Amino acid sequence: MMAILPGATIGILGGGQLGRMLALAAAPLGYRVHVFAPEGEAVASEVAAAETRAGYSDEAALARFAADCDVITYEFENVPSATVAFLEALKPVRPGHAALDVAQDRLSEKQFVEALGGRTAPYRTVETLAELEAGLAELGAPAILKTRRFGYDGKGQARIGSTAEAAEAFASVGGKGLILEGFVRFDAEFSILVARCPRGREVHYPACLNVHEDGILSRTTIPAEGIDPGHLDAATALVVRIADALDYVGVLACEFFATENGPVFNEMAPRVHNSGHWTIEGAETSQFEQHVRAICGLPLGPVGLTAPLVEMRNLLGDSSAEWGRILADPTAHLHLYGKRDAVPGRKMGHVTRLLPQP
Ligand code: AMP
């Protein structure tokens, strides 16, 4: 494959903060960025050279967008697979639609990972209330009912404490195309981020220890203290196998539960990931620059830590109003995404601290 050289245009499907930080990382490498996003707030467009506002099924707009781009990526895994397939006929799309197809459906994702030797939570597919009740009888309560498609940040999920809650949970998540997961009694949660080049070379970041609140990432720390290093190595080896099996190009993030019996795979994101935001200041090469390097066929950068301890906290809702206090802290690096409405739970920014002690 010929490298896509600085000066070329990178197209990004999706206009959120991940696209914004990708565009900010592409600029120092000399790339132009063109953002394709549906109507509505698109904070990535504010830092891009060009934008297209159209729906993901608008083929005329997609064709014009592709004509302006040398390579296309996505910052949002719910882009329709058909959109990516349409664009792939016109320009390289990295990662391609294979990764999206697997990651967009929690069932195919689990089956794919199991076939590669990974462990997942026990699960049953659910289309009817009777199937949910049967699944609960087999897996036991508590359990988590999730939509197979289009869930994110804990949305499209219901925790079921006992069989008596089944009907309400079934109604609350939409009542079909569901998966019931047995509750994993984990000691901690962590993620592994791997970057892979078109010719297959990979690098991986140190494992990220993640704390979620209400299903949303709250805090990430590196190094992932307290998790068996052998379990982290096993999870990393699995993510590399996943990337190889998909012939993946770009940054791939996988989330795991740490248990005493080893890592349990939770889900993958075929894109840069919230648990990798710390890499902007905390790693020698950020996940965003690494993704740009990978999709353009440039050499990947080093992934070492720049401080003994790195901590990232998400700024959700009106907690972003704390920016004055954060700026007064010399260890802190503030990122605000430029979103207008600080709705509770909305990711408005993040803060990364580089600290002297692990
Ligand atoms: P997800 O959207 O699948 O990543 O779920 C969001 C969060 O809910 C996870 O990070 C966990 O904290 C929790 N969670 C999801 N699935 C399970 C499970 N099967 N067992 C225990 N906790 C879970």
Side-chain angles (χ1 to χ4, degrees), residues 106 109-110 120-122 142-146 151-157 159 180-186 189 210-217 255-257 264-268 273:
R106 289 185 190 272
E109 182 178 64
K110 284 185 169 52
T120 69
I144 304 195
L145 185 63
K146 303 181 179 180
Y152 68 99
D153 284 344
K155 293 190 177 61
Q157 304 194 4
R159 188 173 161 160
L180 179 70
E181 292 183 11
F183 195 80
V184 178
R185 289 176 206 286
F186 55 79
E189 294 187 80
N210 300 325
V211 176
H212 293 82
E213 283 171 27
D214 299 326
I216 304 177
L217 182 67
E255 295 183 71
F256 291 88
F257 302 120
V264 174
F265 170 92
N266 178 23
E267 63 179 358
M268 71 173 83
H273 192 254

Side-chain angles (χ1 to χ4, degrees), residues 98-182:
L100 267 188
D101 288 347
V102 170
Q104 282 182 346
D105 180 349
R106 289 185 190 272
L107 175 64
S108 55
E109 182 178 64
K110 284 185 169 52
Q111 290 172 334
F112 189 81
V113 168
E114 285 175 320
L116 293 171
R119 256 178 73 211
T120 69
Y123 62 91
R124 298 285 183 276
T125 55
V126 168
E127 296 293 327
T128 63
L129 181 57
E131 282 178 357
L132 172 58
E133 286 166 351
L136 277 171
E138 285 170 17
L139 301 181
I144 304 195
L145 185 63
K146 303 181 179 180
T147 52
R148 279 171 54 182
R149 304 176 71 85
F150 305 124
Y152 68 99
D153 284 344
K155 293 190 177 61
Q157 304 194 4
R159 188 173 161 160
I160 303 179
S162 69
T163 314
E165 295 167 23
E168 192 187 332
F170 186 71
S172 78
V173 295
K176 69 177 172 8
L178 307 178
I179 193 162
L180 179 70
E181 292 183 11

Side-chain angles (χ1 to χ4, degrees), residues 4 42 57 70 89 148 174 193 212 223 299 305 344:
I4 292 161
S57 54
D70 298 287
R148 279 171 54 182
L193 275 69
H212 293 82
L305 297 183

